[in-house]
């Protein structure tokens, strides 16, 4: 029986659980195992759905992971709608990749045995106490997260099958010592040559620009002077956190709440049992169980008999130990007999259940405990304050919404009755909205043409779990292009710079051509003597150009023209290259890096090939919530 119970206790929480614990299964979904109700799908892969619950959980898991990794900086990123859109898009893409690999593993016939699933679950640190698998911790974790043991086991089985496939890909990658040496020789290579720069300042003074050139450049580059549509709005902001300061908790109410919920702060006695299971429902099985009971009454060791007789293979090897059990986990007949035992060492009679016949022994009693009021007072106050803030925030939302509807052409009535402040913005567009309105829902509302035309108050717009706004557009400016007269100076600078660059490039190309032809030139070139890729004394573009050029032959010349960060041009000549030295101490590390690189490339190509062959339908586009098809 316990074999079947514990085997069932293993499979769906793994992705959600291990994401929270070790991020082993970072993007996980479990919705279909919790309820039989159909769920909306965000994608289909070869007809198999990825549910919205899977997607939402994976998004939250990724947010938690990034928050742990980035710390306080994450809050800054999360406030940017574009960041959230990219995150959702990446999560959806990862879930599709995960699904195509899973389906390939299944179609390839990869299977995981029950024993492998059991062993993997027993090795999960979250289910262990003092380094040992603890059944109660395991059961409580699953129950607390609302997952079924059977579902957890099935998900674990799929993950292990997929892991087998990925290991087969990963473990085939290797790097030869000669490859690592060749890479070191390239990385540590040194090059020599010379370069000359053509500064724009030397050309700008000679450039002449006509009105016609200014007009032509402006017409060809009008997109640079686009002014996006803009609005001025007034709004009131609702903030649940601001309400917390006004919430007071009466000590009497705290005490009353504690008394009413005292049971939640008391831990009952815990009972640990061992059992011997004889499967079957016939007389032979009962007789065998009775034989075991007789031997026990004659002084036989319970653990030895469990190892010899018990059909529960999972517990037989541990003396029949079931660990600490709570009522309701086992069959009613088992519970009734087990919890009727009074003293440690007491043994039941033969107990019949749907799994067969049991002989049960009480092996330990752990006395319960209770928590005093003083120990939990602060926690209760915090919870009561949170609940009252939620209620006050809900009431504020309702009142503000009603007032905004009743007096639709101003927000002053809302402010007068609620104490909120009406704020008026300056002109803003979608990219520089005030913080309180920098939310997709709020921006969609204030730039909605029908809403703008009405000039009325909006409905309540929730921008987060604890914040909301009500807005009204005061003025609107359509998208436009700045007139030439307004940007003439900027256009003139651009035209002059481009003409100066063209003149500089003409001279740079002429010098490069002379060098390639082996001609003598009077242009002074700065020598470059044995520099490596990490050189910081030369302009970065010069170093990059130097190492991008092919090594010259004995009679050849390598020359290239490159643009510096300042806009100036440089002619870079490569004269020689020296093979880099190989550091034996770095060989092992570099080999590992090469293997990792090859592995990532191989896995990426594998997944890309699977997706190319798969029928992938994205029912939810992470940016627009619109369907798309691959």
């Amino acid at each position: 029986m316990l074999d079947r119970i514990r085997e069932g206790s293993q499979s769906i929480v793994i992705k959600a659980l291990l994401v929270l614990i070790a991020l082993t299964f970072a993007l996980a979904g479990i919705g279909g195992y919790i309820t039989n109700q159909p769920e909306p799908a965000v994608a289909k892969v070869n007809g198999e759905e990825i549910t919205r619950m899977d997607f939402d959980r994976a998004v939250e898991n990724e947010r938690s992971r990034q928050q742990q990794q980035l710390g306080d900086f994450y809050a800054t990123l999360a406030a940017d709608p574009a960041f959230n859109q990219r995150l959702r898009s990446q999560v959806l893409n990862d879930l599709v990749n995960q699904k195509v690999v899973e389906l390939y593993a299944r179609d390839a016939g990869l299977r995981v045995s029950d024993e492998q699933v059991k062993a993997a679950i027993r090795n999960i640190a979250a289910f262990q106490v003092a380094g040992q698998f603890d059944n109660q911790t395991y059961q409580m974790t699953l129950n607390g997260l609302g997952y079924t043991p059977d579902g957890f086991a099935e998900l674990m089985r799929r993950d292990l099958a997929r892991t087998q496939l990925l290991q087969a890909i990963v473990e085939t990658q290797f790097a030869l010592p000669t490859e690592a040496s060749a890479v070191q020789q390239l990385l540590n290579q040194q090059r020599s040559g010379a370069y000359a720069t053509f500064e724009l300042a030397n050309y700008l003074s000679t450039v002449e620009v006509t009105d016609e050139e200014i007009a032509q450049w402006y017409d060809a580059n009008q997109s640079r002077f686009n002014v996006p549509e803009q609005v001025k709005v007034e709004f009131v902001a609702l903030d649940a956190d601001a309400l917390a300061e006004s919430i007071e908790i009466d000590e009497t109410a705290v005490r009353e709440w504690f008394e009413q919920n005292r049971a939640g702060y008391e831990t009952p006695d815990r009972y640990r049992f061992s059992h011997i299971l004889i499967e079957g429902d016939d007389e032979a099985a009962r007789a065998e169980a009775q034989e075991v009971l007789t031997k026990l009454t004659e002084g036989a060791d319970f653990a030895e008999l469990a190892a010899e007789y018990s059909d529960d293979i999972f517990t037989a090897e541990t003396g029949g130990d079931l660990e600490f059990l709570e009522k309701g986990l086992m069959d009613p007949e088992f519970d009734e007999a087990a919890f009727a035992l009074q003293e440690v060492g007491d043994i039941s009679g033969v107990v019949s259940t749907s799994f067969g016949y049991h002989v049960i022994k009480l092996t330990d009693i752990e006395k319960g405990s209770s928590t005093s009021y003083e120990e939990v007072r602060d926690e209760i106050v915090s919870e009561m304050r949170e609940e009252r803030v939620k209620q006050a925030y809900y009431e504020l939302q309702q009142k503000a919404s009603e007032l905004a509807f009743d007096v639709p052409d101003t927000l002053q009535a809302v402010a007068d009755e609620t104490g909120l402040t009406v704020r008026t913005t300056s002109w803003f567009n979608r990219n520089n909205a005030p913080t309180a309105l920098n939310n997709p829902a709020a921006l969609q509302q204030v730039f909605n043409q029908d809403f703008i035309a009405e000039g009325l108050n909006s409905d309540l717009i929730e921008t987060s779990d604890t914040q909301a706004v009500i807005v009204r557009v005061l003025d609107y400016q359509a998208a436009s292009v700045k007139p030439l007269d307004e940007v003439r100076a900027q256009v003139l600078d651009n035209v002059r710079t481009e003409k100066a660059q063209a003149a500089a490039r003409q001279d740079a190309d002429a010098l490069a051509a002379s060098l390639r032809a082996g001609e003598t030139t009077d242009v002074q070139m700065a020598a470059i003597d044995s520099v490596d890729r990490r050189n910081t004394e030369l302009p970065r573009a010069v170093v990059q150009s130097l190492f991008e050029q092919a090594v010259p032959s004995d009679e050849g010349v390598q020359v290239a023209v490159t643009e510096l960060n300042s806009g100036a041009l440089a002619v870079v000549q490569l004269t020689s290259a020296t093979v880099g030295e190989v550091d034996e101490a770095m060989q092992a590390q570099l080999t590992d890096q090469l293997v990792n690189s090859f592995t990532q490339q191989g896995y990426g190509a594998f997944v890309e090939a699977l997706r190319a062959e798969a029928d992938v339908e994205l029912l939810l586009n992470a940016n627009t919530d619109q369907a798309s098809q691959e």
Side-chain angles (χ1 to χ4, degrees):
M1 168 179 161
L2 248 289
D3 185 34
R4 293 171 59 182
I5 288 177
R6 297 191 187 186
E7 180 182 341
S9 310
Q10 20 215 331
S11 190
I12 213 158
V13 85
I14 189 62
K15 289 198 176 174
L17 176 66
L18 294 188
V19 164
L20 298 176
I21 298 166
L23 302 177
T24 305
F25 301 100
L27 299 173
I30 38 58
Y33 298 98
I34 303 175
T35 172
N36 291 325
Q37 297 298 321
E39 296 180 36
V42 297
K44 289 184 179 179
V45 180
N46 292 341
E48 294 204 11
E49 295 183 345
I50 298 173
T51 68
R52 181 59 184 252
M53 181 177 290
D54 294 350
F55 175 72
D56 289 342
R57 284 186 178 274
V59 168
E60 289 307 310
N61 289 337
E62 179 62 13
R63 284 175 178 160
S64 297
R65 186 190 71 80
Q66 293 200 18
Q67 189 169 16
Q68 289 181 354
Q69 180 179 349
L70 300 175
D72 294 340
F73 182 62
Y74 174 79
T76 302
L77 292 175
D80 180 7
F83 168 80
N84 289 302
Q85 289 173 355
R86 290 193 298 271
L87 183 145
R88 288 165 61 83
S89 178
Q90 183 60 52
V91 167
L92 184 61
N93 184 68
D94 289 344
L95 286 175
V96 171
N97 289 346
Q98 180 184 16
K99 178 62 74 172
V100 296
V101 174
E102 177 187 313
L103 296 180
Y104 181 86
R106 185 187 67 188
D107 295 343
L110 295 180
R111 298 292 183 266
V112 177
S113 70
D114 293 346
E115 291 303 318
Q116 286 176 297
V117 174
K118 292 178 189 177
I121 291 176
R122 293 177 71 92
N123 286 331
I124 295 174
F127 301 147
Q128 295 180 352
V129 175
Q132 298 294 321
F133 177 80
D134 182 73
N135 186 64
Q136 183 182 22
T137 301
Y138 171 65
Q139 294 283 356
M140 289 177 63
T141 302
L142 295 189
N143 292 338
L145 294 174
Y147 302 136
T148 65
D150 286 339
F152 181 55
E154 180 55 34
L155 182 58
M156 186 69 165
R157 193 184 306 276
R158 295 204 315 267
D159 284 338
L160 291 173
R162 188 172 64 252
T163 299
Q164 286 184 9
L165 175 63
L166 297 182
Q167 285 179 337
I169 297 173
V170 170
E171 292 176 0
T172 59
Q173 300 295 341
F174 63 91
L176 297 173
T178 53
E179 291 178 290
S181 296
V183 169
Q184 279 209 70
Q185 289 173 347
L186 285 174
L187 291 176
N188 297 330
Q189 187 182 83
Q190 293 185 332
R191 294 192 169 195
S192 300
Y195 76 102
T197 58
F198 294 82
E199 299 292 343
L200 295 187
N202 298 329
Y203 295 89
L204 286 172
S205 59
T206 65
V207 168
E208 295 182 359
V209 179
T210 66
D211 289 342
E212 183 181 0
E213 288 174 324
I214 291 176
Q216 289 176 348
W217 195 96
Y218 172 79
D219 290 340
N221 295 274
Q222 284 194 5
S223 60
R224 297 192 183 190
F225 308 109
N226 284 342
V227 179
E229 59 179 344
Q230 300 181 90
V231 291
K232 277 185 180 181
V233 307
E234 65 175 11
F235 69 97
V236 292
L238 292 70
D239 189 341
D241 294 336
L243 297 174
E245 300 175 1
S246 62
I247 301 296
E248 296 184 1
I249 306 298
D250 182 69
E251 189 69 24
T252 302
V254 180
R255 173 70 72 172
E256 289 177 356
W257 194 95
F258 174 78
E259 294 299 335
Q260 293 170 3
N261 296 273
R262 181 181 289 273
Y265 298 99
E266 295 178 346
T267 303
D269 294 346
R270 300 173 64 207
Y271 298 86
R272 186 168 190 161
F273 302 98
S274 293
H275 83 140
I276 298 172
L277 169 65
I278 306 299
E279 291 184 340
D281 57 3
D282 53 16
E283 286 302 319
R286 175 183 284 277
E288 186 175 355
Q290 186 60 51
E291 177 186 347
V292 170
L293 180 61
T294 300
K295 290 186 177 182
L296 290 171
T297 58
E298 292 174 352
D301 182 74
F302 193 97
E304 293 179 359
L305 292 181
E308 180 180 353
Y309 285 94
S310 183
D311 290 324
D312 182 356
I313 301 175
F314 201 84
T315 64
E317 60 189 27
T318 59
D321 181 30
L322 298 175
E323 301 175 356
F324 287 97
L325 295 179
E326 297 178 4
K327 289 184 178 180
L329 287 177
M330 316 295 279
D331 277 10
E333 298 84 0
F334 187 101
D335 278 358
E336 181 179 357
F339 288 96
L341 302 174
Q342 298 295 317
E343 302 292 336
V344 173
D346 286 355
I347 297 175
S348 72
V350 175
V351 181
S352 175
T353 73
S354 60
F355 291 91
Y357 295 98
H358 304 258
V359 178
I360 307 167
K361 179 180 180 180
L362 176 60
T363 59
D364 193 10
I365 299 176
E366 191 176 272
K367 292 298 182 181
S369 62
S370 61
T371 305
S372 68
Y373 172 75
E374 289 72 18
E375 291 177 288
V376 297
R377 178 198 171 278
D378 291 344
E379 177 185 338
I380 296 173
V381 169
S382 177
E383 291 178 357
M384 292 181 69
R385 176 174 283 109
E386 182 177 347
E387 288 301 317
R388 294 190 184 184
V389 167
K390 288 180 180 179
Q391 181 62 30
Y393 182 56
Y394 172 77
E395 292 172 356
L396 178 62
Q397 286 181 316
Q398 297 302 307
K399 189 173 184 178
S401 296
E402 292 171 2
L403 289 167
F405 179 80
D406 292 341
V407 187
D409 58 353
T410 179
L411 289 171
Q412 193 57 49
V414 176
D416 293 341
E417 294 294 326
T418 63
L420 297 172
T421 302
V422 178
R423 292 189 247 172
T424 302
T425 72
S426 57
W427 289 105
F428 70 88
N429 57 53
R430 293 177 184 269
N431 298 320
N432 64 354
T435 301
L437 302 177
N438 191 15
N439 174 272
L443 293 175
Q444 182 178 4
Q445 183 70 45
V446 299
F447 285 99
N448 180 286
Q449 291 298 320
D450 293 336
F451 176 67
I452 292 171
E454 289 176 351
L456 302 179
N457 298 332
S458 71
D459 294 331
L460 185 81
I461 303 170
E462 293 188 285
T463 56
S464 73
D465 291 340
T466 60
Q467 294 178 322
V469 293
I470 301 175
V471 301
R472 187 170 74 89
V473 175
L474 300 176
D475 204 354
Y476 171 78
Q477 288 183 351
S480 61
V481 178
K482 291 180 180 180
L484 176 57
D485 289 345
E486 184 178 334
V487 297
R488 184 180 182 84
Q490 183 179 349
V491 173
L492 176 59
D493 285 343
N494 284 314
V495 175
R496 292 181 70 241
T497 299
E498 287 187 3
K499 294 188 73 172
Q501 284 181 322
R505 181 168 290 278
Q506 184 175 2
D507 288 347
D509 288 341
L511 173 60
S514 296
L515 292 173
R516 293 189 187 101
E519 300 173 355
T520 302
T521 175
D522 57 358
V523 176
Q524 291 292 103
M525 299 188 68
I528 302 174
D529 185 24
S530 299
V531 298
D532 60 24
R533 299 172 189 270
R534 296 175 290 276
N535 183 279
T536 58
E537 297 178 359
L538 297 174
R540 187 61 204 158
V542 170
V543 176
Q544 185 173 350
S545 175
L546 193 70
F547 280 90
E548 285 177 349
Q549 298 180 50
V551 176
S553 61
D554 292 340
E555 299 180 357
V557 176
Q558 288 291 343
V559 181
V561 177
T562 188
E563 184 175 337
L564 306 184
N565 290 336
S566 63
L569 295 175
V571 175
V572 182
Q573 180 180 18
L574 172 64
T575 57
S576 65
T578 304
V579 175
E581 296 182 358
V582 175
D583 183 353
E584 294 298 332
M586 294 293 296
Q587 278 291 87
Q589 179 181 345
L590 187 56
T591 301
D592 290 342
Q593 291 175 353
L594 288 174
V595 171
N596 290 336
S597 177
F598 296 159
T599 297
Q600 292 175 9
Q601 295 175 28
Y603 174 73
F606 173 68
V607 172
E608 185 177 348
L610 292 182
R611 286 192 66 152
E613 296 178 358
D615 179 15
V616 178
E617 184 180 4
L618 302 180
L619 303 175
L620 171 71
N621 182 286
N623 291 335
T624 63
D625 279 9
Q626 296 175 346
S628 61
Q629 186 86 29
E630 288 190 12

